Amino acid sequence: MYMSMFKRKIECIGVLTSGGDAPGMNAAIRAVTRAAIANGFRVMAVYRGYEGLINNEIREFSTEDVSNIIQRGGTILKTARSRDFETPEGRRKAYDNMLLRGIDALVVIGGNGSLTGARIFAEEYDVPCIGLPGTIDNDLNGTDSTIGYDTTLNTIMECVDKIRDTATSHERIFFVEVMGRDAGFLAQNSAIAAGAEAAIIPEDATGANQLEHFIGRGIRKSKNSSIVLVSESPRCGAMYYAERVKREYPEYDVRVSILGHLQRGGSPSAGDRILASRLGVGAIQAILEGQRNVMIGIKNDEVVYVPFSNAIKSDKPVKKELIDDLAVLSI
């Protein structure tokens, strides 16, 4: 491990957003900035994630810099996925720029990959890093919800409500593909919220048989239109299931709607604004308490500190009772 100068008193905090954007990231930036300044810290805003740290795209923020952003989607700091930061040379450049700009600790707002990068960086250079869970997939352990998840659920629900009008009018089956390649939280819970007939998610081992079960239980009995939510997958996405129905049940009129990146956009919900604000304040409190290399989460409405190694485990489960509930509600 590289022995650094980060044993000194923390006076300046850097903040960046990394990976995919999520509604509520701006609320988190605002909270981190204002909570830091309220506690006597200087704040350095890093643009374009770890790429900006490597390229020295950094400037000092005041409270005015984060005015009127809580309602905005995306991230004012921009974001990027950095291949260079995955290399020792890239991380060394990032560290050198932290020293150059006087940054003593780093707050990283992002998902699994972003917090993995923060963990590696912290181990190599003994940099105090605090993570905020900013991902629409809700796939980080140790927190009940992640920044952006609630807004995205509402976006999907509104889209499915509109698709339902066409499905009913034309007596069609619609397969609606949503984000969450490795986590089915969006598909499962938006299916419940939108009154869909089924959800095909990676966590359900019966996924390959769900289609037959859905066809037999729903369409064949009483329903003349149906909605199925499908987690995106390069191998078994919505197109795969639609083609299978066309082939095996040619009597049905089948359509596919892939929602894509519209799921990431839009003004954050009240829930995401509150969550991001609490987590941002929690990040500064963690630094004041001498915490390092932890993600700030919310569990049972309480702020908690989750070690990076626990937060980034890819085993956060979708509750089986949610799968069972959808089966009951969709009869």
Side-chain angles (χ1 to χ4, degrees):
M1 180 184 289
Y2 185 94
M3 293 306 293
S4 75
M5 60 191 293
F6 281 98
K7 297 298 183 183
R8 72 186 186 187
K9 179 182 177 183
I10 294 173
E11 298 178 348
C12 179
I13 295 170
V15 58
L16 62 83
T17 51
S18 174
D21 62 302
M25 280 184 164
N26 284 326
I29 295 165
R30 173 181 180 269
V32 169
T33 299
R34 292 193 168 177
I37 292 171
N39 283 282
F41 298 113
R42 293 170 57 231
V43 177
M44 288 291 180
V46 182
Y47 286 81
R48 296 174 182 83
Y50 293 123
E51 279 291 288
L53 201 56
I54 292 170
N55 297 323
N56 197 19
E57 297 182 66
I58 303 168
R59 78 175 182 89
E60 188 164 359
F61 258 19
S62 67
T63 58
E64 288 77 14
D65 287 302
V66 293
S67 295
N68 199 32
I69 67 168
I70 194 171
Q71 78 281 11
R72 292 171 57 182
T75 163
I76 63 166
L77 294 182
K78 314 300 182 186
T79 185
R81 302 183 193 275
S82 176
R83 292 300 180 98
D84 288 339
F85 195 75
E86 296 175 8
T87 69
E89 297 78 13
R91 292 191 293 273
R92 177 66 205 213
K93 288 181 181 178
Y95 176 73
D96 287 344
N97 283 327
M98 286 187 68
L99 294 181
L100 179 67
R101 304 305 293 267
I103 298 172
D104 305 314
L106 198 61
V107 176
V108 176
I109 307 166
N112 198 299
S114 302
L115 299 193
T116 298
R119 179 182 63 81
I120 294 170
F121 191 48
E123 289 175 353
E124 283 184 342
Y125 292 106
D126 198 25
V127 176
C129 288
I130 304 295
L132 298 188
T135 168
I136 66 171
D137 291 340
N138 196 38
D139 60 347
L140 288 167
N141 282 283
T143 185
D144 291 334
S145 188
T146 58
I147 297 166
Y149 174 61
D150 183 66
T151 305
T152 302
L153 271 182
N154 280 281
T155 297
I156 295 170
M157 180 187 69
E158 291 166 5
C159 290
V160 173
D161 286 348
K162 291 176 171 63
I163 290 169
R164 173 82 70 182
D165 293 342
T166 294
T168 303
S169 297
H170 292 271
E171 299 185 327
R172 288 172 176 163
I173 302 173
F174 265 88
F175 288 89
V176 181
E177 184 174 292
V178 301
M179 289 182 170
R181 179 163 53 190
D182 300 313
F185 294 97
L186 286 174
Q188 187 65 45
N189 284 310
S190 60
I192 293 173
E197 278 64 40
I200 300 177
I201 61 174
E203 293 89 343
D204 190 349
T206 65
N209 301 319
Q210 285 184 68
L211 190 61
E212 175 64 35
H213 180 62
F214 149 69
I215 291 287
R217 186 195 67 225
I219 295 294
R220 283 182 178 170
K221 290 184 178 178
S222 62
K223 297 189 178 183
N224 58 13
S225 68
S226 288
I227 304 286
V228 181
L229 273 290
V230 183
S231 291
E232 63 183 354
S233 168
R235 187 173 58 87
C236 296
M239 287 299 299
Y240 166 83
Y241 289 104
E243 291 299 323
R244 189 172 148 191
V245 170
K246 289 177 184 178
R247 184 172 62 252
E248 298 176 19
Y249 307 97
E251 66 271 28
Y252 297 127
D253 190 5
V254 181
R255 295 291 187 274
V256 171
S257 182
I258 299 174
L259 299 188
H261 284 83
L262 71 83
Q263 295 165 84
R264 290 194 181 279
S267 181
S269 66
D272 272 328
R273 297 184 198 193
I274 295 167
L275 174 66
S277 297
R278 291 184 68 188
L279 295 177
V281 172
I284 302 306
Q285 184 59 40
I287 290 172
L288 288 169
E289 294 175 9
Q291 295 285 337
R292 53 171 54 211
N293 313 333
V294 297
M295 181 193 79
I296 312 301
I298 297 285
K299 271 295 209 185
N300 300 319
D301 205 35
E302 297 290 337
V303 173
V304 295
Y305 303 151
V306 186
F308 282 151
S309 57
N310 293 339
I312 60 181
K313 290 179 181 177
S314 57
D315 61 352
K316 185 176 181 179
V318 171
K319 292 182 179 179
K320 187 179 183 302
E321 53 260 42
L322 292 174
I323 298 173
D324 296 337
D325 288 348
L326 179 59
V328 170
L329 294 169
S330 61
I331 62 172

